Amino acid sequence: MIVERLQEDISSMRLMPGSRISEPDIAARFGVSRQPVRDAFSRLESMGLLRIRPRKATEVKRFSRGEIEKSRFVRAAVEMEVLRRAARRCVAADGHELDACLALQRKALAKGDQLAFAQLDYDFHRAVCGIAGVPFAFDVIHAEKKKVDRLCMLALSREDRMPQLIDDHARIAEAVKAGREEEAVEAGTVHLSRLDATIEAIKVASAAYFEDED
């Protein structure tokens, strides 16, 4: 529970990059001893969300340009193949599933619910993996997407991004339902590129959120 709660706090930007957290404070928050907190910190460090420094304060990990580039490359490679397979395999019931995902996203948009939309974004990509017959591919997409979720939340909060992302999902869904592989890949590529300009803008406006890298 500690890992999941802290992961959510970090991903949703309730704990900002560079924020300091301590074992005693977290232990008091959850009413546990320090050992389970220490274990949770270790897991979160392995997930790339915390930076544990001996004899210094533990920090929420800042963004790494190199890690972001690597994560997005891996995700794009996997997701493009998923889209090709989904377009080849999609049947009527699969199309209804994609339509249902989009309907829920539009409800989140109407409510201005960014957290709900973020989860529904995961659900859409999970559904596409299922249609493609490679549900295990979502494990990779999920892991890589988690690494940039904080940037996505910044983008959603600073810009009116939800309508654009829903339009992207709708174009992907239509191409998949129609069996148009390359059109699905093109729509997916555009979708994944949406964060590029935001990353550059955040680097300028919030340089302190990024690690110093040569």
Side-chain angles (χ1 to χ4, degrees):
M1 181 184 73
I2 299 173
V3 171
E4 289 77 9
R5 291 283 296 277
L6 290 178
Q7 182 180 1
E8 175 61 25
D9 286 346
I10 293 169
S11 296
S12 66
M13 300 294 284
R14 285 193 289 270
L15 285 172
M16 304 296 282
S19 298
R20 296 183 175 185
I21 61 175
S22 72
E23 289 180 8
D25 288 346
I26 299 301
R29 171 183 169 184
F30 289 96
V32 297
S33 68
R34 292 178 62 171
Q35 186 57 50
V37 175
R38 189 172 297 117
D39 294 341
F41 279 14
S42 180
R43 284 186 59 190
L44 290 165
E45 182 182 41
S46 70
M47 295 164 66
L49 296 176
L50 287 185
R51 183 184 179 199
I52 299 175
R53 303 177 299 171
R55 297 181 295 279
K56 293 185 179 180
T58 295
E59 291 184 348
V60 175
K61 200 170 187 296
R62 290 174 169 82
F63 299 121
S64 162
R65 296 167 178 83
E67 289 178 8
I68 290 169
E69 183 177 357
K70 177 182 176 182
S71 177
R72 301 191 73 208
F73 178 86
V74 171
R75 180 185 171 189
V78 173
E79 194 137 16
M80 294 310 103
E81 179 60 22
V82 167
L83 288 170
R84 287 189 176 92
R85 294 188 182 208
R88 290 198 295 267
R89 293 170 51 94
C90 188
V91 297
D94 299 326
H96 295 325
E97 181 180 6
L98 293 178
D99 290 342
C101 288
L102 290 168
L104 291 173
Q105 289 177 21
R106 292 185 177 107
K107 286 183 179 180
L109 171 62
K111 296 178 181 178
D113 192 338
Q114 296 169 0
L115 289 176
F117 179 83
Q119 180 57 53
L120 292 167
D121 185 35
Y122 274 99
D123 294 343
F124 178 82
H125 291 282
R126 182 187 292 107
V128 174
C129 289
I131 293 167
V134 286
F136 52 83
F138 184 72
D139 295 339
V140 178
I141 292 170
H142 181 273
E144 299 307 325
K145 191 173 184 302
K146 275 291 183 185
K147 296 175 183 177
V148 296
D149 262 358
R150 294 183 291 164
L151 282 169
C152 293
M153 288 306 299
L154 276 177
L156 287 172
S157 63
R158 294 184 178 196
E159 307 166 12
D160 188 17
R161 292 287 307 284
M162 283 192 284
Q164 184 182 64
L165 297 180
I166 292 173
D167 286 345
D168 287 349
H169 287 165
R171 282 192 287 273
I172 291 169
E174 289 306 310
V176 167
K177 290 190 292 183
R180 297 192 290 266
E181 294 181 34
E182 294 312 310
E183 185 178 325
V185 168
E186 181 180 356
T189 300
V190 170
H191 179 59
L192 293 182
S193 73
R194 295 296 187 191
L195 203 55
D196 291 345
T198 298
I199 290 172
E200 294 305 315
I202 293 172
K203 286 179 184 176
V204 173
S206 304
Y209 291 165
F210 287 81
E211 295 178 353
D212 293 328
E213 298 173 313
D214 294 331

